[in-house]
């Protein structure tokens, strides 16, 4: 199983770079960041420094979207990094929650994501792409260029499109039931589209907090440090409920039930452990969606996720134990999975 580290690009950028270097030393192979231009610093600038200061780590956004940059600019940025550092980027893409809403725009449609994925992937590997009537190609790309595009999804239509079109699936939660349900939807869609389902990489991303023991005090603190994640996921779930209804057969209640007490969301606290808008998230959801407890509990859940077809676990590392979590994974968790 591959392991990734997910960070926000809070200043100073040197801290982000340092944590990514630490992750590579501890056996992580992917470095992901948020991509929301108003809330955080520009990730692609920071990627160049991460790549320069590591030797094998692959980097990318979790996730970018087709609305904040023109598609040829996005593709050119990835392709330039790949030309400089040797095909070490991945384009994670989605509808654009915080990036679009903070700027006063609605998240992108699935149709727009579909068009963008085709253009960005094609241009990034040196092929021609149609930009709405004008066909272009980057003349400077060398043979052998690659740019995999992984799609973040929750709802039935997005899962279907991921299986049909994307190179990978990003699932932002680590609940075993929902992982099985959604991975199956993606793989089934791939098969129906005539694709080899094994070619669609599966990445589960969620907060991980390693405690020294399983005492009530330690677990309570870990839950509080990761509760923000249920609020972030809740934004996407609220969109699904709005579209499909509260008790739709298209979306499992195991995903939607917990947001009934959700009242609002302030993006200035997005993805932060002290987010005051996530108190509605119950302990059960934190434990289902995240990895919390002593290292052996992480290993147990990760083995279960691997049995469900997960190829990569990406650690959201936004809490008060960033370095300790990276080190615990490097010393205990990653060797137990891959040793």
């Amino acid at each position: 199983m591959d392991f990734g580290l997910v960070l926000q690009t809070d200043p100073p950028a040197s801290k982000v770079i340092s944590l990514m270097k630490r992750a590579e030393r501890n056996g992580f192979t992917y470095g992901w960041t948020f991509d929301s231009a108003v809330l955080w610093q520009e990730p692609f600038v920071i990627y160049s420094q991460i790549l320069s200061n590591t030797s094998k780590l692959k980097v990318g956004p979790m996730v970018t979207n087709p609305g904040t940059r023109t598609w040829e600019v996005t593709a050119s940025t990835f392709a330039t990094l790949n030309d400089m550092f040797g095909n070490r980027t991945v384009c994670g893409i989605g509808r654009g929650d915080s990036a679009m809403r903070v700027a006063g725009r609605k998240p992108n449609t699935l149709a727009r994501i579909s068009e963008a994925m085709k253009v960005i992937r094609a241009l990034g590997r040196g092929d021609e792409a149609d930009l709405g009537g004008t066909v272009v190609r980057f003349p400077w790309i060398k043979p052998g260029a690659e740019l995999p595009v992984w799609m973040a999804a929750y709802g039935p239509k997005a899962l279907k499109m991921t299986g049909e079109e994307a190179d990978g699936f990003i699932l932002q939660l680590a609940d075993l039931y929902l992982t099985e349900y959604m991975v199956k939807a993606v793989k089934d869609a791939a098969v129906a589209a005539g694709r080899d389902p094994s070619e669609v990489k599966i990445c589960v991303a969620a907060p991980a907090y390693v405690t020294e023991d399983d005492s009530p005090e330690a677990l309570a603190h870990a839950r509080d440090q990761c509760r923000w994640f249920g609020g972030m996921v809740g934004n996407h779930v609220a969109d699904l409920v709005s579209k499909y209804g509260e008790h739709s057969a298209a979306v499992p209640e195991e995903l939607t039930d917990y947001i009934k007490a959700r009242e609002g969301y302030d993006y200035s606290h997005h993805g932060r452990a002290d987010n005051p808008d996530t108190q509605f998230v119950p302990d059960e959801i934190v434990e289902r969606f995240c990895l919390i407890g002593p290292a052996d509990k992480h290993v147990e859940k990760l083995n279960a996720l691997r049995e469900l077809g997960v190829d990569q676990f990406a650690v959201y590392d936004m809490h008060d134990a960033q370095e300790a979590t990276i080190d615990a994974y490097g010393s205990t968790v990653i060797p137990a999975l891959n040793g």
Side-chain angles (χ1 to χ4, degrees):
M1 178 182 278
D2 284 323
F3 286 84
L5 184 72
V6 190
L7 300 173
Q8 295 168 337
T9 51
D10 283 318
S14 58
K15 177 67 179 297
V16 178
I17 297 162
S18 175
L19 288 171
M20 290 297 185
K21 290 168 62 178
R22 191 184 197 111
E24 184 177 64
R25 291 196 303 270
N26 277 281
F28 288 74
T29 52
Y30 284 79
W32 304 92
T33 75
F34 283 43
D35 178 15
S36 192
V38 175
L39 296 178
W40 300 290
Q41 292 185 329
E42 173 54 38
F44 287 95
V45 176
I46 298 172
Y47 294 157
S48 66
Q49 291 298 305
I50 295 171
L51 290 166
S52 180
N53 283 275
T54 57
S55 60
K56 296 181 180 180
L57 202 70
K58 294 183 179 181
V59 303
M62 189 177 281
V63 293
T64 194
N65 73 87
T68 53
R69 297 178 182 85
T70 60
W71 304 344
E72 70 272 22
V73 170
T74 297
S76 179
T77 306
F78 278 112
T80 300
L81 291 171
N82 283 336
D83 184 65
M84 293 171 67
F85 299 103
N87 289 338
R88 290 171 57 198
T89 70
V90 179
C91 177
I93 196 167
R95 296 179 64 223
D97 176 36
S98 65
M100 297 297 285
R101 287 185 164 118
V102 168
R105 308 184 188 110
K106 293 182 179 180
N108 295 271
T109 64
L110 292 179
R112 186 170 173 81
I113 296 175
S114 176
E115 294 173 11
M117 285 200 299
K118 293 182 178 69
V119 168
I120 292 167
R121 182 194 291 117
L123 290 177
R125 65 188 181 196
D127 295 338
E128 291 184 343
D130 188 338
L131 298 177
T134 300
V135 176
V136 300
R137 176 181 174 273
F138 298 152
W140 47 267
I141 289 189
K142 299 172 184 175
E146 298 176 0
L147 180 57
V149 180
W150 296 10
M151 182 175 166
Y154 292 108
K157 292 181 179 179
L159 294 169
K160 181 173 182 289
M161 196 176 91
T162 300
E164 292 171 344
E165 302 181 25
D167 300 302
F169 167 42
I170 297 172
L171 174 58
Q172 291 163 309
L173 54 79
D175 176 77
L176 296 179
Y177 173 82
L178 292 171
T179 297
E180 182 176 19
Y181 178 96
M182 294 185 185
V183 168
K184 183 178 186 302
V186 168
K187 298 284 190 179
D188 286 351
V191 171
R195 303 182 67 192
D196 180 350
S198 68
E199 293 181 355
V200 183
K201 296 296 183 181
I202 307 296
C203 173
V204 161
Y209 198 105
V210 181
T211 60
E212 292 187 3
D213 55 44
D214 57 359
S215 66
E217 295 79 13
L219 296 177
H221 179 76
R223 285 193 296 267
D224 285 342
Q225 286 294 305
C226 297
R227 199 175 306 276
W228 63 267
F229 184 68
M232 186 184 83
V233 173
N235 296 326
H236 303 286
V237 174
D239 285 345
L240 292 175
V241 170
S242 176
K243 182 173 183 177
Y244 294 102
E246 283 191 25
H247 303 289
S248 170
V251 184
E253 292 188 359
E254 287 82 357
L255 178 62
T256 60
D257 273 357
Y258 84 97
I259 69 161
K260 291 177 180 178
R262 181 179 182 269
E263 295 181 353
Y265 194 84
D266 181 353
Y267 279 91
S268 66
H269 303 285
H270 189 55
R272 301 192 185 280
D274 60 354
N275 191 333
D277 296 324
T278 60
Q279 294 307 307
F280 74 92
V281 180
D283 288 352
E284 176 196 3
I285 287 294
V286 180
E287 292 170 359
R288 280 174 46 197
F289 284 12
C290 306
L291 275 71
I292 288 171
D296 64 307
K297 295 298 183 183
H298 292 242
V299 172
E300 180 182 342
K301 190 166 186 178
L302 287 167
N303 273 319
L305 287 168
R306 182 163 58 182
E307 288 296 315
L308 297 176
V310 175
D311 300 296
Q312 179 185 158
F313 177 62
V315 176
Y316 275 102
D317 203 27
M318 282 76 76
H319 48 55
D320 65 1
Q322 289 182 301
E323 291 88 352
T325 297
I326 294 170
D327 293 347
Y329 264 66
S331 65
T332 305
V333 178
I334 294 176
L337 269 292
N338 297 336

